[in-house]
């Protein structure tokens, strides 16, 4: 891995420790941002309740497909980032059950 990515990740960790006490509810990363989310989780220096790794598929989809995907996914993602809970009850129950099993 490029040393510059590790240096940037350490800057992100330092920022989160200073501003958030080392605890955040959720982190979303797409493409290169997904790499940083993965590094934050792997290094275990920051507590992240939910790590969301996205992709750039919406950028490559047709306008109609991208709109339909965004209209479907945004209502699922926003409550997780905002409240730390899924709005869809059966998904939240499955997530809670999985967390208890861990």
């Amino acid at each position: 891995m490029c040393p510059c990515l590790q240096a940037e990740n350490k800057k992100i960790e330092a920022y989160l420790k200073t501003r958030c006490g080392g605890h955040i509810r959720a982190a979303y990363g797409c493409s290169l941002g997904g790499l940083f989310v993965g590094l934050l989780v792997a290094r275990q220096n920051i507590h992240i309740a939910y790590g969301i790794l996205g992709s750039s598929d919406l950028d490559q989809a047709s306008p109609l497909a991208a709109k339909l995907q965004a209209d479907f996914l945004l209502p699922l993602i926003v409550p997780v980032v905002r409240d730390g809970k899924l709005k869809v009850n059966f998904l939240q129950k499955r997530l809670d059950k999985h967390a208890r099993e861990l």
Side-chain angles (χ1 to χ4, degrees), residues 4 6 18 22-23 44:
C4 58
Q6 292 175 347
T18 302
H23 298 274
Q44 298 181 350

Side-chain angles (χ1 to χ4, degrees), residues 1-4 6 12 14 17 25 35-37 40 44 51 57 59 67-68 73 76-77 79-81 94-96 99:
M1 178 182 309
C2 174
C4 58
Q6 292 175 347
I12 294 169
K17 284 180 181 178
R25 187 176 306 218
L35 174 67
F36 287 117
V37 172
L40 287 172
Q44 298 181 350
D57 292 343
D59 296 340
K67 178 167 178 22
L68 291 173
L73 292 176
L76 293 174
I77 293 171
V80 172
V81 174
R94 289 192 66 189
L95 188 62
D96 292 340

Side-chain angles (χ1 to χ4, degrees), residues 51-71:
I52 304 164
L53 302 178
S55 69
S56 58
D57 292 343
L58 295 178
D59 296 340
Q60 299 171 8
S62 71
L64 176 61
K67 178 167 178 22
L68 291 173
Q69 290 174 18
D71 288 347

Side-chain angles (χ1 to χ4, degrees), residues 20-39:
C20 305
H23 298 274
I24 58 175
R25 187 176 306 218
Y28 171 80
C30 179
S31 190
L32 182 59
L35 174 67
F36 287 117
V37 172
L39 285 172

Side-chain angles (χ1 to χ4, degrees), residues 6 9 35 54 61 70 83 86 94 98:
Q6 292 175 347
N9 198 67
L35 174 67
D83 307 323
L86 289 166
R94 289 192 66 189
H98 181 69

